[in-house]
């Protein structure tokens, strides 16, 4: 192979010497470097393609030593959600072309690397970022819906057992102001949903509000919620955090979820009770609260129930996707 040699001032054959590159940014890398040497004058040549290859090997080793995210891991993350480099950059609010550079081998900053790692492992954190990107107009509706659909498809579990473990793993938190100082009791929750659905035509969207009102009133009366669920502010009212009502509604030993298409093409989900709910999970006071909420909401439309939740301070004083504190239970409009 030949390359221009500035010392000989002509095209010359060259050899490749091996040399060890010891340290990069304070990290011992010990990477073998290829060094082109002019055969005639024995001087070292600078050949960009070879330099680039050397640098890539150094970066790879440095990434490995510092446990930083790799270009292929970033690509995997994009493939998983079917998004472009540009879309991922916008979702994460990184500078233009950042993802493009990282995928082409540039070294990410430690902060970016750690964040990419985290987001590629934690689907809920990623989807939260996607929601934020959508509502701050960094991504459009099309991108948002595409990712949302993929998220929905991913939440398909094989059986109730697996699904229950998943839900508990996702939603169980130690007692705090956002779960009404109660650890999620999934069995109790399933029985509660089954009971409500046996009393009224229960839409999935309204199920969220039924549960929220029940938990809020329970907290108001007893300083503890009934289900232990955490709720966030969504457009149509409070909903179970991280859209886990999707999975909860698919548990089918106490109730069934049925999805039907409305005339306008939108989907509507109804929960019907299997009739096998067990009220021994509840004490008298709890039953009283549940029946009270059912009595208030059973003859109201989905829209009316949504409007009722919009009057509550817990919804009014929170931002989209923000957790709703049970402190708001002290002042409930539904009780007035
Ligand atoms: Zn030379």
């Amino acid at each position: 192979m030949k390359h221009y040699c500035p010392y000989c001032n002509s095209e010359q054959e060259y050899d490749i010497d091996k040399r060890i590159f010891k340290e990069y940014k304070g990290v011992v890398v010990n990477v073998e470097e290829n060094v082109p040497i002019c055969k005639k004058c024995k001087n070292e040549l600078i050949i960009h393609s070879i330099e680039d290859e050397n640098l890539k090997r150094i970066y790879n080793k440095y990434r490995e030593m510092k446990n930083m995210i790799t270009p292929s891991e970033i690509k995997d993350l994009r493939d998983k959600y079917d998004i472009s480099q540009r879309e991922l950059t916008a979702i994460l609010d990184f500078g233009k072309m950042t993802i493009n550079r990282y995928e082409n081998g540039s070294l990410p900053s430690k902060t970016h690397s750690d964040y990419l790692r985290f987001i590629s492992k934690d689907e809920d954190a990623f989807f939260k970022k996607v929601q934020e990107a959508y509502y701050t107009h960094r991504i459009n509706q099309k991108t948002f819906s595409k990712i949302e659909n993929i998220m929905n498809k991913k939440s398909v579990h094989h059986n109730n057992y697996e699904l229950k473990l998943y839900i508990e793993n996702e939603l169980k938190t130690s007692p705090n102001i956002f779960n009404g100082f109660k650890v999620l009791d999934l069995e109790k929750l399933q029985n509660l949903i089954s009971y409500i659905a046996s009393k009224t035509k229960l839409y999935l969207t309204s199920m969220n509000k039924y549960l929220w009102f029940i938990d809020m009133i329970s907290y108001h009366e007893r300083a503890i919620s009934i289900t232990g669920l955490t709720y966030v502010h969504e457009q149509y009212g409070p909903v179970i955090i991280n859209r886990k009502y999707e999975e909860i509604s698919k548990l089918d030993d106490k109730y069934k979820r049925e999805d039907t298409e409305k005339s306008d093409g939108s989907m509507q989900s109804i929960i019907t009770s299997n009739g096998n709910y067990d009220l021994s999970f509840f004490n008298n006071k709890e039953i009283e609260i549940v029946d009270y909420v059912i009595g208030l909401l059973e003859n109201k439309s989905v829209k009316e129930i949504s409007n009722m939740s919009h009057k509550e301070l817990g919804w009014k004083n929170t931002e989209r996707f923000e957790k709703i504190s049970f402190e708001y239970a002290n002042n409930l409009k539904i009780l007035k």
Side-chain angles (χ1 to χ4, degrees):
M1 278 193 285
K2 278 187 163 186
H3 197 268
Y4 174 74
C5 173
Y7 307 96
C8 304
N9 195 20
S10 57
E11 293 274 324
Q12 292 295 336
E13 294 275 337
Y14 62 87
D15 288 321
I16 295 286
D17 261 17
K18 300 286 180 183
R19 193 195 285 163
I20 297 295
F21 188 91
K22 288 204 178 78
E23 207 181 288
Y24 181 74
K25 284 187 173 180
V27 172
V28 178
V29 286
N30 285 330
V31 169
E32 201 175 65
E33 270 191 303
N34 291 329
V35 185
I37 305 286
C38 173
K39 271 192 179 175
K40 194 177 167 197
C41 70
K42 305 293 176 199
N43 274 306
E44 192 177 322
L45 302 177
I46 291 174
I47 302 178
H48 288 296
S49 58
I50 295 177
E51 287 269 287
D52 285 351
E53 288 304 312
N54 285 336
L55 212 52
K56 252 186 192 162
R57 277 198 301 277
I58 293 166
Y59 283 172
N60 283 343
K61 190 67 188 292
Y62 180 82
R63 254 191 230 105
E64 192 189 313
M65 301 297 287
K66 297 279 272 184
N67 191 26
M68 291 172 95
I69 196 148
T70 63
S72 69
E73 282 176 286
I74 300 175
K75 175 79 165 48
D76 288 347
L77 171 66
R78 290 198 302 105
D79 287 347
K80 181 173 163 184
Y81 297 106
D82 187 25
I83 47 176
S84 66
Q85 294 178 339
R86 191 191 297 253
E87 284 171 319
L88 183 57
T89 300
I91 288 164
L92 301 179
D93 207 8
F94 286 178
K96 254 188 194 170
M97 301 298 285
T98 307
I99 294 297
N100 177 274
R101 284 191 290 106
Y102 292 167
E103 280 191 33
N104 286 327
S106 292
L107 266 190
S109 67
K110 182 83 176 112
T111 322
H112 275 180
S113 170
D114 287 349
Y115 191 62
L116 280 162
R117 245 295 142 62
F118 166 66
I119 224 90
S120 65
K121 293 214 167 104
D122 189 326
E123 289 177 3
D124 286 330
F126 178 77
F127 192 62
K128 224 173 180 180
K129 201 70 195 167
V130 170
Q131 289 173 323
E132 178 205 298
Y134 176 48
Y135 291 108
T136 54
H137 307 291
R138 296 202 302 272
I139 57 169
N140 59 26
Q141 167 83 49
K142 209 178 140 203
T143 300
F144 179 76
S145 301
K146 176 173 69 182
I147 300 169
E148 194 181 34
N149 282 334
I150 290 168
M151 297 287 298
N152 282 340
K153 281 197 194 114
K154 286 174 68 63
S155 68
V156 173
H157 292 255
H158 300 297
N159 55 47
N160 276 338
Y161 175 73
E162 199 180 311
L163 188 50
K164 275 177 201 171
L165 284 182
Y166 169 77
I167 295 168
E168 288 187 332
N169 185 45
E170 291 288 310
L171 294 183
K172 262 197 179 170
T173 45
S174 49
N176 63 64
I177 193 65
F178 296 108
N179 59 21
F181 290 98
K182 158 121 188 124
V183 177
L184 174 71
D185 185 337
L186 192 51
E187 242 190 307
K188 193 172 181 180
L189 174 63
Q190 287 180 271
N191 280 291
L192 176 57
I193 295 169
S194 176
Y195 178 67
I196 301 168
S198 75
K199 299 278 177 185
T200 180
K201 189 171 187 183
L202 187 61
Y203 292 92
L204 183 59
T205 44
S206 297
M207 181 189 89
N208 279 289
K209 283 99 188 171
Y210 269 91
L211 296 173
W212 185 66
F213 277 124
I214 287 167
D215 279 333
M216 287 295 266
I217 293 173
S218 171
Y219 190 84
H220 175 86
E221 313 256 307
R222 314 182 303 144
I224 188 165
S225 74
I226 290 179
T227 69
L229 285 168
T230 298
Y231 302 86
V232 296
H233 173 127
E234 247 291 9
Q235 195 176 352
Y236 301 109
V239 299
I240 297 166
I241 193 165
N242 292 332
R243 305 155 55 254
K244 289 295 171 274
Y245 50 86
E246 283 291 339
E247 284 85 356
I248 290 169
S249 67
K250 284 171 193 155
L251 293 170
D252 61 5
D253 36 14
K254 294 282 168 186
Y255 45 79
K256 297 271 184 298
R257 167 179 166 167
E258 220 179 298
D259 297 337
T260 47
E261 201 177 324
K262 290 200 290 186
S263 51
D264 66 358
S266 64
M267 292 302 285
Q268 176 173 268
S269 306
I270 298 174
I271 312 291
T272 49
S273 177
N274 292 352
N276 56 347
Y277 52 82
D278 179 357
L279 290 186
S280 69
F281 281 93
F282 307 88
N283 62 37
N284 289 342
K285 183 67 195 169
E286 288 175 330
I287 296 285
E288 195 185 294
I289 293 167
V290 172
D291 283 339
Y292 175 76
V293 172
I294 292 171
L296 280 177
L297 306 184
E298 63 184 338
N299 294 320
K300 299 209 159 51
S301 67
V302 170
K303 181 100 179 75
E304 285 170 322
I305 295 173
S306 171
N307 288 342
M308 282 175 79
S309 73
H310 286 182
K311 293 200 178 87
E312 298 292 345
L313 289 181
W315 191 84
K316 277 182 164 174
N317 290 0
T318 46
E319 305 263 328
R320 198 150 190 192
F321 306 123
E322 188 183 334
K323 284 189 215 168
I324 302 175
S325 169
F326 273 87
E327 282 168 51
Y328 292 112
N330 296 328
N331 191 342
L332 284 174
K333 300 275 182 276
I334 196 173
L335 294 177
K336 283 171 187 155

